[in-house]
Amino acid sequence: MKALSHSVDSSIRLYLDSLWLEKGLADNTRQSYQRDLTHFARWLDEQGEDDLNAVTGQQVMAYLAWRHSANYSSRSTARLLSCLRGFYRFQLRENAISENPLAGIENPKLPRSLPKLLTESDVEALLSAPDVDDAVGLRDKAMLELLYACGLRVTELTQLTLPMLNLRQGVVRVLGKGSKERLVPLGEEAAYWLERYITSKRSELLAARPSEAVFPSTRGVAMTRQTFWYRIKHWARVAGIEKPLSPHTLRHAFATHLINHGADLRVVQLLLGHSDLSTTQIYTHVAQARMQSLHKMHHPRG
């Protein structure tokens, strides 16, 4: 694969570095932005344009048309446009360009997708699956309980360190997107399993290796998000759950079950760490769909 020109590569890196400095860009997001910008730059190069700062709105539209013909999803294209908008706003701010080629280009309309939902009985089965007499099983049990009790993102869960837990007060300090901190209550059940795991089995996994990671792997280092999802899929099979699992399955269940039981939407927003209430509102649609389904099933005139 042909390498990008030095000027193009430097422009992309400078933009990503500025995002990291200004917004604390997460590694996963940075890699995603880098892939999108690199793909766009390579497509332009194939069209005979080797300068990102010389791009016109027509070229952007041609790239979007090519993506459509190549069957890219509207969701991935919307993410790409968000990335390009940020990149060219930065170029304007740095006086590298005089006009924004994204001006007037609208995002594709996205279908409103509802999260795949685990029922409360599904969650109970999943949480009961690990063998708590085993060090790995007890660690996984504590992770699942904490994930469901607090609605954490997987990365937030795997990056937890001991100083971020306060079992006496029953709260966890979470480092979310953009390095924003929030305090989330643990609940009695999660606090119980965390304390049991930390006092009895965590040292067994560490095998005398120093680490502040709450959930080390069997190698004694902080678990990766990929490893955790291998573990949760394993316990889903053990529990007999055949529904597809996504990286946010238990986070979705946490939010939906709270709203089903009458929680205020703004409280759920704070617990999830959403900066915009509209992001949280999707869970009201999940709850409404569930109510409609129950009404149709049980009402004599449903």
Side-chain angles (χ1 to χ4, degrees):
M1 186 179 292
K2 183 181 176 182
L4 297 178
S5 70
H6 177 70
S7 62
V8 169
D9 187 59
S10 295
S11 293
I12 292 173
R13 289 183 181 279
L14 186 63
Y15 168 61
L16 295 177
D17 287 345
S18 76
L19 282 183
W20 181 80
L21 286 169
E22 294 171 13
K23 299 183 179 180
L25 199 65
D27 286 342
N28 292 335
T29 307
R30 179 189 174 95
Q31 290 167 14
S32 174
Y33 282 8
Q34 186 165 18
R35 279 194 301 270
D36 283 344
L37 289 168
T38 299
H39 192 277
F40 179 53
R42 287 207 167 103
W43 182 87
L44 286 171
D45 189 57
E46 289 173 2
Q47 314 307 308
E49 178 59 74
D50 62 356
D51 184 359
L52 281 176
N53 290 341
V55 169
T56 65
Q58 284 184 325
Q59 287 172 310
V60 175
M61 291 298 292
Y63 178 58
L64 296 179
W66 173 83
R67 285 178 66 90
H68 180 73
S69 67
N71 293 321
Y72 280 85
S73 71
S74 55
R75 197 167 297 280
S76 68
T77 298
R79 187 198 66 208
L80 164 92
L81 281 171
S82 175
C83 174
L84 290 180
R85 283 196 176 90
F87 175 77
Y88 283 109
R89 278 197 301 268
F90 175 76
Q91 298 304 97
L92 271 174
R93 193 179 78 190
E94 296 295 307
N95 296 316
I97 59 175
S98 58
E99 292 184 3
N100 189 337
L102 274 292
I105 296 178
E106 297 182 357
N107 273 2
K109 292 189 181 298
L110 298 179
R112 193 161 184 85
S113 60
L114 298 179
K116 295 290 187 296
L117 181 61
L118 290 180
T119 65
E120 292 181 34
S121 59
D122 288 335
V123 173
E124 287 296 332
L126 180 63
L127 298 183
S128 300
D131 176 7
V132 296
D133 293 325
D134 172 72
V136 170
L138 184 57
R139 177 203 63 192
D140 291 356
K141 166 74 169 175
M143 292 185 85
L144 292 171
E145 289 282 357
L146 181 58
L147 194 66
Y148 179 57
C150 300
L152 305 185
R153 299 177 178 94
V154 177
T155 302
E156 294 170 348
L157 177 76
T158 56
Q159 291 180 349
L160 284 178
T161 59
L162 291 175
M164 298 168 80
L165 292 178
N166 189 326
L167 296 180
R168 185 173 60 83
Q169 294 186 359
V171 294
V172 57
R173 179 167 54 87
V174 181
L175 191 62
K177 288 186 176 181
S179 298
K180 293 179 180 177
E181 289 190 357
R182 67 185 190 277
L183 285 178
V184 184
L186 287 170
E188 292 181 4
E189 197 74 12
Y192 167 79
W193 287 107
L194 269 170
E195 184 169 15
R196 178 170 165 181
Y197 154 69
I198 290 170
T199 56
S200 66
K201 296 294 186 181
R202 180 175 172 273
S203 58
E204 186 176 325
L205 292 171
L206 286 172
R209 288 167 291 209
S211 174
E212 286 197 330
V214 176
F215 301 112
S217 69
T218 51
R219 300 193 314 275
V221 296
M223 187 185 296
T224 64
R225 59 199 302 274
Q226 291 82 4
T227 298
F228 174 71
W229 279 107
Y230 168 80
R231 301 302 304 161
I232 196 174
K233 287 177 181 178
H234 166 72
W235 294 122
R237 288 194 297 270
V238 171
I241 297 171
E242 297 180 355
K243 296 176 182 177
L245 297 181
S246 76
H248 278 333
T249 301
L250 280 177
R251 182 170 161 87
H252 292 326
F254 162 85
T256 306
H257 297 169
L258 275 176
I259 290 172
N260 282 345
H261 286 276
D264 181 82
L265 194 62
R266 289 200 176 274
V267 172
V268 177
Q269 176 193 1
L270 291 172
L271 292 173
L272 289 172
H274 287 162
S275 57
D276 191 335
L277 185 62
S278 64
T279 310
T280 316
Q281 283 175 328
I282 190 171
Y283 295 105
T284 63
H285 294 277
V286 176
Q288 287 166 2
R290 171 69 174 158
M291 284 188 289
Q292 288 170 353
S293 172
L294 288 172
H295 182 274
K296 186 175 182 179
M297 185 184 303
H298 297 294
H299 194 280
R301 294 183 181 272

